[in-house]
Amino acid sequence: MYNIIFRGEFHLGYSRSSLNGLSWYDLVHWENLREASSKHRLITQSEQEKSCILLLRMQTCNHKWIWVHVVLQVKESNDSNQQPVIVCTNQ
């Protein structure tokens, strides 16, 4: 996971440093992994669809699950040497 803002820290309970080396998928509930993966492919492989909405459960630092309604959006890098990133915004 590249970054988390204060609101994400507050709701999920993780500090930025505790998420170093974790994938976003590490926090997604196993019953929501298929849909999350499908939406990920949709926005990264399509020339037209660069964003989508998703309702899923994410694990808090206390190992509880909370429902989160998010918008996933591909953001192109200004630097031609860097990969685009996916920004996940809570709705």
Side-chain angles (χ1 to χ4, degrees):
M1 190 168 295
Y2 182 70
N3 196 358
I4 187 170
I5 63 169
F6 175 75
R7 192 178 316 167
E9 287 180 287
F10 176 79
H11 290 292
L12 295 175
Y14 296 101
S15 66
R16 291 178 188 197
S17 62
S18 68
L19 295 173
N20 284 340
L22 285 182
S23 165
W24 182 70
Y25 288 104
D26 293 329
L27 304 179
V28 174
H29 191 278
W30 58 87
E31 291 179 356
N32 301 122
L33 284 173
R34 181 176 291 180
E35 184 177 10
S37 176
S38 174
K39 298 285 181 139
H40 184 168
R41 278 192 307 279
L42 172 73
I43 64 173
T44 57
Q45 296 176 355
S46 172
E47 291 298 319
Q48 293 141 354
E49 299 293 330
K50 294 297 181 185
S51 66
C52 65
I53 59 172
L54 179 62
L55 179 64
L56 54 82
R57 286 166 285 185
M58 295 188 76
Q59 189 174 42
T60 68
C61 70
N62 297 326
H63 304 289
K64 295 182 180 178
W65 299 100
I66 61 169
W67 284 98
V68 182
H69 188 247
V70 297
V71 175
L72 302 174
Q73 184 175 19
V74 175
K75 293 286 190 179
E76 299 295 331
S77 173
N78 292 337
D79 184 351
S80 62
N81 296 328
Q82 293 206 351
Q83 295 282 342
V85 295
I86 297 175
V87 176
C88 177
T89 308
N90 183 28
Q91 281 294 117

